[in-house]
Amino acid sequence: MRDRLEQFRKNAEECKRLAVHIKNPEHKALAAEYADAWLELAKAVEKRLTARDKQPVICAGVPRRVR
């Protein structure tokens, strides 16, 4: 999932880079919207990863000591 996070960020940067060279205002705005959408996806993945990292690790089949 971390690979997706990095790819989404790269896609956003690419859209921003392309927007600089686009002359048509409508197309430039679309490129900016795409960049924002990629960043939103990256944030969603990052949120999932953070939530997953906070979950306790439970190993199935390993008996726990009772005190």
Side-chain angles (χ1 to χ4, degrees):
M1 195 177 289
R2 293 193 192 283
D3 293 341
R4 285 185 181 176
L5 175 62
E6 289 305 313
Q7 187 60 52
F8 292 166
R9 287 182 177 156
K10 286 179 185 178
N11 291 349
E13 288 302 317
E14 180 70 7
C15 288
K16 288 179 184 180
R17 187 185 66 74
L18 290 172
V20 171
H21 301 288
I22 296 173
K23 304 293 185 216
N24 182 309
E26 291 177 25
H27 296 170
K28 186 180 281 276
L30 274 175
E33 284 182 43
Y34 286 144
D36 290 342
W38 283 118
L39 287 175
E40 286 299 315
L41 286 169
K43 287 178 188 176
V45 169
E46 196 167 38
K47 187 176 177 180
R48 278 183 132 181
L49 287 171
T50 300
R52 188 177 72 181
D53 290 345
K54 289 182 180 179
Q55 290 180 348
V57 176
I58 299 172
C59 298
V62 177
R64 296 186 335 186
R65 283 189 158 168
V66 178
R67 293 182 187 209

